[in-house]
Amino acid sequence: MKRYAGYVFDLDGTLYLGDHAIPGAPETLAELRRRGARIAFLSNKPIEPAASYAAKLNRLGIQAAVEEVINSSIVMARYLSRTAPGARVYLIGEEPLAEELRKRGIRIVADPLDCEYVVVSWDRQFTYQKLNDALQAIRNGARFIATHPDRTCPVPGGEVADVGGMIGAVEGVTGKKVELITGKPSPITVQEAMNLLGLPPDQCIMVGDRLETDMRMGREAGMATALVLTGVTRREQVESSPWKPDYVLESVRGLIG
């Protein structure tokens, strides 16, 4: 297949599943680096800091510097620090996202009536109290934004519920649609990836396992797109999708075939 100057890789379902690298992923990444390609690792998953994802990749035999990793926590924190410095946030999300927000001067508040934004993310301790707090905050005028839209996350043997459930719950009780999602497929995330690579989109390829996030983002940004079948998407789903990839690969190994 065609060679590209920059490769943007999703993580879960693309380079690894659980604690195991996708067969051929370490060798593929090593070959792309040997060819001089620039690499970015881009995940919507906000439940670990970038350093943890970089460490995991290296542990699995995939060379990765922490500076090459962007996840939805980083994108959200950078977005708010640019557009609403020092904003007060009621957070439905986990500590790694909270820490990323605090690092950039965003204040996490416990009182839903004392926030400017309700930020919804993947929260494995999601409760009725958090849902009701979000309702009161949004009724009080807080803006409703989210890190990413994924309904599920691939894991060995299947999928687990992701932030889509929390967004749906808040939308259900408030009657309001989420105002902004900063993670994939948002152009906000595209810009973060292009800034990291130092390349325009038309010199890059987005490699991932999701049609509605990875392939949609790549196509809308003007990147080439490669769907891998090692995650949540099956080949038969491609035909009915509005976001058809340029390449459909059994795995990332096909990038150097």
Side-chain angles (χ1 to χ4, degrees), residues 10 19 21 32 36 40 63 66 70 96 134 138 153 179-180 191 194-195 202 210-211 214 221 229:
D10 173 55
D19 290 324
L32 292 174
Q63 178 190 339
V66 67
I70 302 171
I138 292 167
C153 178
E179 179 181 339
L180 177 74
Q191 192 57 57
M194 295 306 99
N195 289 346
D202 63 4
R210 287 184 181 273
L211 291 161
D214 301 317
L229 301 176

Side-chain angles (χ1 to χ4, degrees), residues 190-212:
V190 173
Q191 192 57 57
E192 292 288 349
M194 295 306 99
N195 289 346
L196 189 159
L197 292 174
L199 293 168
D202 63 4
Q203 294 183 27
C204 301
I205 183 168
M206 177 69 216
V207 186
D209 69 317
R210 287 184 181 273
L211 291 161
E212 70 276 16

